[in-house]
Structures are given as structure tokens and as C-alpha cells.
mmCIF file of all heavy atoms in Angstrom:
data_model
loop_
_atom_site.group_PDB
_atom_site.id
_atom_site.type_symbol
_atom_site.label_atom_id
_atom_site.label_comp_id
_atom_site.label_asym_id
_atom_site.label_seq_id
_atom_site.Cartn_x
_atom_site.Cartn_y
_atom_site.Cartn_z
ATOM 1 N N VAL P 1 -3.204 13.616 7.079
ATOM 2 C CA VAL P 1 -3.592 15.056 6.818
ATOM 3 C C VAL P 1 -4.171 15.001 5.371
ATOM 4 O O VAL P 1 -5.257 15.714 5.175
ATOM 5 C CB VAL P 1 -2.365 16.016 6.879
ATOM 6 C CG1 VAL P 1 -2.773 17.314 6.331
ATOM 7 C CG2 VAL P 1 -1.976 16.122 8.256
ATOM 8 N N ASN P 2 -3.666 14.400 4.472
ATOM 9 C CA ASN P 2 -4.169 14.498 3.021
ATOM 10 C C ASN P 2 -5.626 13.766 3.009
ATOM 11 O O ASN P 2 -6.534 14.372 2.395
ATOM 12 C CB ASN P 2 -3.372 13.746 2.027
ATOM 13 C CG ASN P 2 -2.216 14.620 1.605
ATOM 14 O OD1 ASN P 2 -2.318 15.893 1.606
ATOM 15 N ND2 ASN P 2 -1.022 14.010 1.244
ATOM 16 N N VAL P 3 -5.831 12.711 3.701
ATOM 17 C CA VAL P 3 -7.056 12.101 3.828
ATOM 18 C C VAL P 3 -8.015 12.993 4.505
ATOM 19 O O VAL P 3 -9.260 13.135 4.141
ATOM 20 C CB VAL P 3 -6.949 10.715 4.616
ATOM 21 C CG1 VAL P 3 -8.338 10.216 5.108
ATOM 22 C CG2 VAL P 3 -6.229 9.623 3.872
ATOM 23 N N THR P 4 -7.618 13.712 5.537
ATOM 24 C CA THR P 4 -8.571 14.699 6.172
ATOM 25 C C THR P 4 -8.899 15.719 5.104
ATOM 26 O O THR P 4 -10.161 16.193 5.067
ATOM 27 C CB THR P 4 -7.690 15.309 7.375
ATOM 28 O OG1 THR P 4 -7.468 14.404 8.291
ATOM 29 C CG2 THR P 4 -8.488 16.470 7.952
ATOM 30 N N HIS P 5 -7.934 16.106 4.429
ATOM 31 C CA HIS P 5 -8.271 17.268 3.391
ATOM 32 C C HIS P 5 -9.259 16.662 2.315
ATOM 33 O O HIS P 5 -10.202 17.464 1.978
ATOM 34 C CB HIS P 5 -6.910 17.597 2.676
ATOM 35 C CG HIS P 5 -7.053 18.566 1.604
ATOM 36 N ND1 HIS P 5 -7.320 19.975 1.711
ATOM 37 C CD2 HIS P 5 -7.041 18.387 0.207
ATOM 38 C CE1 HIS P 5 -7.256 20.515 0.648
ATOM 39 N NE2 HIS P 5 -7.236 19.588 -0.259
ATOM 40 N N TRP P 6 -9.034 15.426 1.872
ATOM 41 C CA TRP P 6 -10.001 15.010 0.865
ATOM 42 C C TRP P 6 -11.392 14.717 1.364
ATOM 43 O O TRP P 6 -12.406 14.932 0.578
ATOM 44 C CB TRP P 6 -9.308 13.713 0.337
ATOM 45 C CG TRP P 6 -8.147 13.901 -0.528
ATOM 46 C CD1 TRP P 6 -7.969 14.973 -1.324
ATOM 47 C CD2 TRP P 6 -6.882 13.123 -0.611
ATOM 48 N NE1 TRP P 6 -6.716 14.987 -1.830
ATOM 49 C CE2 TRP P 6 -6.029 13.797 -1.480
ATOM 50 C CE3 TRP P 6 -6.620 12.009 0.031
ATOM 51 C CZ2 TRP P 6 -4.739 13.228 -1.796
ATOM 52 C CZ3 TRP P 6 -5.370 11.381 -0.262
ATOM 53 C CH2 TRP P 6 -4.526 12.101 -1.194
ATOM 54 N N VAL P 7 -11.471 14.283 2.578
ATOM 55 C CA VAL P 7 -12.744 14.122 3.216
ATOM 56 C C VAL P 7 -13.431 15.469 3.449
ATOM 57 O O VAL P 7 -14.616 15.689 3.101
ATOM 58 C CB VAL P 7 -12.633 13.426 4.614
ATOM 59 C CG1 VAL P 7 -14.086 13.363 5.252
ATOM 60 C CG2 VAL P 7 -12.185 12.015 4.329
ATOM 61 N N ASP P 8 -12.766 16.494 3.921
ATOM 62 C CA ASP P 8 -13.229 17.788 4.188
ATOM 63 C C ASP P 8 -13.752 18.421 2.799
ATOM 64 O O ASP P 8 -14.691 19.183 2.819
ATOM 65 C CB ASP P 8 -12.204 18.545 4.866
ATOM 66 C CG ASP P 8 -12.662 19.934 5.239
ATOM 67 O OD1 ASP P 8 -13.649 19.950 5.968
ATOM 68 O OD2 ASP P 8 -11.894 21.016 4.933
ATOM 69 N N ARG P 9 -12.905 18.262 1.779
ATOM 70 C CA ARG P 9 -13.191 18.848 0.570
ATOM 71 C C ARG P 9 -14.263 18.166 -0.362
ATOM 72 O O ARG P 9 -14.753 18.521 -1.288
ATOM 73 C CB ARG P 9 -11.950 19.006 -0.332
ATOM 74 C CG ARG P 9 -10.843 19.875 0.295
ATOM 75 C CD ARG P 9 -11.074 21.284 -0.072
ATOM 76 N NE ARG P 9 -11.188 21.442 -1.482
ATOM 77 C CZ ARG P 9 -12.010 22.372 -2.311
ATOM 78 N NH1 ARG P 9 -12.900 22.850 -1.563
ATOM 79 N NH2 ARG P 9 -11.877 22.394 -3.528
ATOM 80 N N GLY P 10 -14.683 16.976 0.123
ATOM 81 C CA GLY P 10 -15.645 16.085 -0.671
ATOM 82 C C GLY P 10 -15.017 15.576 -1.943
ATOM 83 O O GLY P 10 -15.721 15.419 -3.026
ATOM 84 N N THR P 11 -13.757 15.314 -2.014
ATOM 85 C CA THR P 11 -12.957 15.048 -3.284
ATOM 86 C C THR P 11 -13.577 13.620 -3.697
ATOM 87 O O THR P 11 -13.550 13.377 -4.986
ATOM 88 C CB THR P 11 -11.442 14.892 -2.912
ATOM 89 O OG1 THR P 11 -11.000 16.063 -2.431
ATOM 90 C CG2 THR P 11 -10.705 14.515 -4.130
ATOM 91 N N VAL P 12 -13.745 12.646 -2.841
ATOM 92 C CA VAL P 12 -14.370 11.379 -3.239
ATOM 93 C C VAL P 12 -15.559 10.942 -2.491
ATOM 94 O O VAL P 12 -15.927 11.564 -1.346
ATOM 95 C CB VAL P 12 -13.181 10.294 -2.992
ATOM 96 C CG1 VAL P 12 -12.007 10.549 -3.892
ATOM 97 C CG2 VAL P 12 -12.759 10.317 -1.606
ATOM 98 N N ARG P 13 -16.333 9.982 -2.929
ATOM 99 C CA ARG P 13 -17.522 9.534 -2.229
ATOM 100 C C ARG P 13 -17.397 8.138 -1.637
ATOM 101 O O ARG P 13 -18.209 7.836 -0.804
ATOM 102 C CB ARG P 13 -18.583 9.640 -3.266
ATOM 103 C CG ARG P 13 -18.986 11.031 -3.678
ATOM 104 C CD ARG P 13 -19.433 11.938 -2.552
ATOM 105 N NE ARG P 13 -19.737 13.227 -3.025
ATOM 106 C CZ ARG P 13 -19.790 14.303 -2.143
ATOM 107 N NH1 ARG P 13 -19.434 14.175 -0.915
ATOM 108 N NH2 ARG P 13 -20.105 15.447 -2.724
ATOM 109 N N THR P 14 -16.414 7.296 -2.046
ATOM 110 C CA THR P 14 -16.416 5.940 -1.649
ATOM 111 C C THR P 14 -15.061 5.631 -0.976
ATOM 112 O O THR P 14 -13.999 6.314 -1.297
ATOM 113 C CB THR P 14 -16.493 4.989 -2.744
ATOM 114 O OG1 THR P 14 -15.411 5.085 -3.521
ATOM 115 C CG2 THR P 14 -17.784 5.315 -3.673
ATOM 116 N N ALA P 15 -15.010 4.715 -0.149
ATOM 117 C CA ALA P 15 -13.815 4.303 0.652
ATOM 118 C C ALA P 15 -12.804 3.751 -0.419
ATOM 119 O O ALA P 15 -11.619 4.082 -0.282
ATOM 120 C CB ALA P 15 -14.143 3.187 1.666
ATOM 121 N N GLY P 16 -13.243 3.085 -1.432
ATOM 122 C CA GLY P 16 -12.286 2.644 -2.411
ATOM 123 C C GLY P 16 -11.654 3.682 -3.174
ATOM 124 O O GLY P 16 -10.349 3.505 -3.335
ATOM 125 N N GLU P 17 -12.306 4.676 -3.535
ATOM 126 C CA GLU P 17 -11.622 5.912 -4.106
ATOM 127 C C GLU P 17 -10.723 6.518 -3.254
ATOM 128 O O GLU P 17 -9.552 6.833 -3.567
ATOM 129 C CB GLU P 17 -12.711 6.847 -4.527
ATOM 130 C CG GLU P 17 -13.616 6.530 -5.675
ATOM 131 C CD GLU P 17 -14.566 7.620 -6.026
ATOM 132 O OE1 GLU P 17 -15.496 7.905 -5.144
ATOM 133 O OE2 GLU P 17 -14.430 8.274 -7.094
ATOM 134 N N LEU P 18 -11.060 6.631 -1.934
ATOM 135 C CA LEU P 18 -10.156 7.370 -1.065
ATOM 136 C C LEU P 18 -8.845 6.513 -0.793
ATOM 137 O O LEU P 18 -7.759 7.061 -0.770
ATOM 138 C CB LEU P 18 -10.892 7.465 0.245
ATOM 139 C CG LEU P 18 -10.097 8.402 1.394
ATOM 140 C CD1 LEU P 18 -9.713 9.662 0.832
ATOM 141 C CD2 LEU P 18 -10.975 8.477 2.658
ATOM 142 N N ARG P 19 -8.963 5.121 -0.768
ATOM 143 C CA ARG P 19 -7.779 4.266 -0.601
ATOM 144 C C ARG P 19 -6.870 4.462 -1.840
ATOM 145 O O ARG P 19 -5.679 4.330 -1.742
ATOM 146 C CB ARG P 19 -8.211 2.948 -0.319
ATOM 147 C CG ARG P 19 -8.749 2.690 1.015
ATOM 148 C CD ARG P 19 -8.866 1.185 1.405
ATOM 149 N NE ARG P 19 -9.260 0.957 2.821
ATOM 150 C CZ ARG P 19 -10.633 0.882 3.232
ATOM 151 N NH1 ARG P 19 -11.491 0.772 2.323
ATOM 152 N NH2 ARG P 19 -10.869 0.693 4.515
ATOM 153 N N ARG P 20 -7.562 4.551 -3.027
ATOM 154 C CA ARG P 20 -6.678 4.762 -4.176
ATOM 155 C C ARG P 20 -5.856 6.103 -4.073
ATOM 156 O O ARG P 20 -4.705 6.236 -4.446
ATOM 157 C CB ARG P 20 -7.557 4.805 -5.485
ATOM 158 C CG ARG P 20 -6.840 4.950 -6.682
ATOM 159 C CD ARG P 20 -7.650 5.138 -7.975
ATOM 160 N NE ARG P 20 -6.840 5.291 -9.101
ATOM 161 C CZ ARG P 20 -7.311 5.844 -10.244
ATOM 162 N NH1 ARG P 20 -8.608 6.242 -10.368
ATOM 163 N NH2 ARG P 20 -6.456 6.086 -11.268
ATOM 164 N N LEU P 21 -6.479 7.176 -3.554
ATOM 165 C CA LEU P 21 -5.853 8.412 -3.333
ATOM 166 C C LEU P 21 -4.744 8.190 -2.341
ATOM 167 O O LEU P 21 -3.554 8.805 -2.440
ATOM 168 C CB LEU P 21 -6.749 9.467 -2.873
ATOM 169 C CG LEU P 21 -7.290 10.412 -3.990
ATOM 170 C CD1 LEU P 21 -8.106 9.641 -5.028
ATOM 171 C CD2 LEU P 21 -8.253 11.440 -3.340
ATOM 172 N N THR P 22 -4.931 7.349 -1.313
ATOM 173 C CA THR P 22 -3.912 7.203 -0.211
ATOM 174 C C THR P 22 -2.719 6.515 -0.764
ATOM 175 O O THR P 22 -1.498 6.706 -0.320
ATOM 176 C CB THR P 22 -4.479 6.423 1.018
ATOM 177 O OG1 THR P 22 -4.811 5.108 0.598
ATOM 178 C CG2 THR P 22 -5.596 7.098 1.580
ATOM 179 N N GLU P 23 -2.850 5.613 -1.811
ATOM 180 C CA GLU P 23 -1.669 4.937 -2.394
ATOM 181 C C GLU P 23 -0.693 6.037 -2.931
ATOM 182 O O GLU P 23 0.504 6.021 -2.655
ATOM 183 C CB GLU P 23 -2.177 4.038 -3.440
ATOM 184 C CG GLU P 23 -0.892 3.233 -4.097
ATOM 185 C CD GLU P 23 -1.349 2.223 -5.246
ATOM 186 O OE1 GLU P 23 -2.590 2.345 -5.633
ATOM 187 O OE2 GLU P 23 -0.504 1.474 -5.650
ATOM 188 N N ALA P 24 -1.204 6.964 -3.755
ATOM 189 C CA ALA P 24 -0.401 8.009 -4.181
ATOM 190 C C ALA P 24 0.114 9.033 -3.059
ATOM 191 O O ALA P 24 1.273 9.479 -3.033
ATOM 192 C CB ALA P 24 -1.153 8.893 -5.224
#
């Protein structure tokens, strides 16, 4: 759900950044 939220909100632009967020 958080990944969905971050994609929807445009929080990050790269897969690497998104994976860093998923660790937290």
C-alpha cells in the first residue's frame, strides 16, 4: 500500500529510490 501511495504521489522517480523507501 505504501508503494502504491508513493507512486501515486510522485514521491520518487527511480526504482532505486523506491526500494530505499520500501526498506523503511
Side-chain angles (χ1 to χ4, degrees):
V1 169
N2 283 329
V3 167
T4 298
H5 177 74
W6 292 323
V7 172
D8 187 52
R9 295 277 298 138
T11 303
V12 295
R13 294 301 183 197
T14 70
E17 287 181 297
L18 187 53
R19 288 193 172 95
R20 184 183 173 201
L21 266 58
T22 64
E23 183 181 4

